Amino acid sequence: MALTWEDVVKLATALPGVEESTWWRSPALKVGGKGFGLLRIEAEGGLALVCDLSEKEALLASGDPAFYTTPHHDGHGFILIDLDRVAPEQLREMLDDAWWLTAPPKVRAQREFQTY
């Protein structure tokens, strides 16, 4: 099942403090004013999501066609995700990871009282 930007927003906004916004003139997800996800409107499309570099390397090495990079993103903590190919549960986990990497401590503390 292909996911849409609306699906991504619905999954992400279940996390504390997440808001739909813009970043670099593209639809984006932010927490505490910091961007952690961006809908790419360039030719390659997809979702750019904050990701630990070691996780990015592992995802790219897996050969899963849902994950890719471009020279612009090489060496940076962003993984590119093909929304037509990623499994919803995997995206949900990745959004949670990106949120943890980005959310301020006060917002992260809210997770102790809320289940995702």
Side-chain angles (χ1 to χ4, degrees):
M1 174 182 115
L3 295 171
T4 65
W5 173 247
E6 290 75 22
D7 296 326
V8 174
V9 170
K10 184 176 180 180
L11 289 170
T13 55
L15 294 162
V18 173
E19 60 184 11
E20 185 177 9
S21 186
T22 58
W23 190 16
W24 297 100
R25 291 181 259 179
S26 294
L29 300 167
K30 292 184 178 180
V31 59
K34 295 181 178 181
F36 69 95
L38 172 78
L39 182 65
R40 299 183 72 237
I41 54 177
E42 299 93 313
E44 305 92 18
L47 175 69
L49 194 63
V50 167
C51 183
D52 180 77
L53 281 174
S54 60
E55 179 70 13
K56 177 180 181 174
E57 290 173 13
L59 288 167
L60 294 174
S62 75
D64 186 330
F67 308 108
Y68 63 102
T69 191
T70 63
H72 176 76
H73 292 90
D74 288 347
H76 299 284
F78 282 89
I79 186 73
L80 304 181
I81 303 170
D82 183 337
L83 294 176
D84 291 334
R85 296 179 177 205
V86 68
E89 274 307 308
Q90 187 170 24
L91 179 61
R92 177 187 214 131
E93 290 176 22
M94 294 178 74
L95 286 164
D96 189 59
D97 291 345
W99 181 89
W100 272 105
L101 289 169
T102 309
K106 281 185 176 182
V107 178
R108 283 197 312 259
Q110 293 177 30
R111 283 299 296 278
E112 294 176 20
F113 309 107
Q114 181 182 33
T115 58
Y116 180 51

